[in-house]
Amino acid sequence: MTKYLVSPSILSGDFADMGSSVKAIERWGGDLVHCDVMDGVYVKNLTFGMPMIAALRKVTTLPLDVHLMITEPERYVEEFVKAGADIVTFHVEASKDPLKTLRKIRSLGCKGGIVFNPDIPFEGYEYLADESDMILVMSVYAGKGGQSFIPETLDKVRAIRNYLTQKGLNVPIEIDGGVNEQNAAACREAGVTVLVAGSSVYKSDDPARTIRILQGLNGSSGQES
């Protein structure tokens, strides 16, 4: 039976009290803490960097799922690992040498993963799969919270899942962007095992219930095998 994980994005938390926002994830039953790092270059927005990751590391035992939306991530991955990241994912086209970047992250004792924006195909990057601990498919364009889910991105999830199955690779597929109670089942059915959710969790009237629904543990969605 597949266990589905939820990684609430602190981009939707309270930036004036981020410690409480992260502790709430534990209280609600979340599995990871999704940290969106934006540099104002690869994407237009700026968020936070290594000091925030180090601060969050002190207030939670949950894995820190650090998503780098930055240009040339290889320049900073060591610092993010030292700050306390448990997994570092980066956009394949933002790195000069994604394979080398993945290997660098993993050599530091951290899990490493690759990210695909909606307009970046998996084809041509398959060789990275067996060196990845996570493959993140963006269901919106990286750089801004609160966007609407792009259903067509599930075709990419299915293609990646089929490739992994054919190669016998047990790599989790994560999805990020506009994920909510209404589309979570479709994500899981397509092959997603880790769901990132920001607004749908933090703005929920009952965040714990929302997380259970995203995990497939609540109501009619049921946990899938």
Side-chain angles (χ1 to χ4, degrees):
M1 184 173 287
T2 303
K3 178 175 173 59
Y4 300 96
L5 306 179
V6 173
S7 185
S9 171
I10 58 170
L11 195 62
S12 296
D14 181 358
F15 270 56
D17 192 0
M18 195 56 81
S20 293
S21 292
V22 170
K23 289 176 182 177
I25 294 174
E26 293 186 16
R27 191 169 67 250
W28 296 332
D31 302 289
L32 306 96
V33 178
H34 194 78
C35 307
D36 289 304
V37 176
M38 306 181 194
D39 64 357
V41 180
Y42 177 73
V43 293
K44 290 183 179 180
N45 286 343
L46 276 168
T47 53
F48 48 78
M50 290 77 78
M52 175 71 85
I53 302 303
L56 299 183
R57 180 74 288 159
K58 295 175 183 177
V59 299
T60 185
T61 58
L62 289 178
L64 297 182
D65 174 18
V66 179
H67 172 195
L68 301 183
M69 290 174 253
I70 66 177
T71 300
E72 294 182 36
E74 53 269 28
R75 296 181 296 165
Y76 301 105
V77 292
E78 186 169 355
E79 293 176 66
F80 278 103
V81 173
K82 287 180 178 177
D86 293 283
I87 180 165
V88 174
T89 58
F90 63 92
H91 288 257
V92 288
E93 83 283 11
S95 174
K96 289 183 175 179
D97 188 337
L99 182 58
K100 186 176 179 181
T101 302
L102 267 176
R103 288 175 172 170
K104 182 176 182 179
I105 295 168
R106 300 177 86 194
S107 74
L108 296 167
C110 183
K111 292 181 178 180
I114 50 177
V115 188
F116 294 91
N117 252 329
D119 59 343
I120 302 297
F122 176 62
E123 292 73 26
Y125 292 105
E126 296 98 334
Y127 70 100
L128 298 171
D130 65 354
E131 303 244 11
S132 298
D133 298 297
M134 178 100 70
I135 297 176
L136 170 53
V137 174
M138 296 299 298
S139 42
V140 299
Y141 284 89
K144 185 180 179 182
Q147 297 180 66
S148 297
F149 184 86
I150 302 172
E152 292 77 14
T153 55
L154 292 182
D155 292 335
K156 185 183 297 180
V157 171
R158 294 183 190 97
I160 294 172
R161 176 56 63 206
N162 288 339
Y163 178 85
L164 295 175
T165 300
Q166 289 170 10
K167 295 295 182 180
L169 298 173
N170 185 26
V171 182
I173 299 177
E174 184 173 41
I175 195 161
D176 181 4
V179 175
N180 57 35
E181 296 180 17
Q182 288 70 45
N183 57 36
C187 293
R188 296 191 301 265
E189 288 163 7
V192 168
T193 50
V194 184
L195 297 91
V196 176
S199 305
S200 64
V201 168
Y202 278 101
K203 295 182 180 179
S204 173
D205 292 334
D206 188 345
R209 180 179 179 275
T210 295
I211 285 175
R212 289 195 302 272
I213 290 172
L214 298 182
Q215 290 168 329
L217 297 175
N218 208 70
S220 59
S221 354
Q223 182 149 350
E224 296 144 44
S225 58

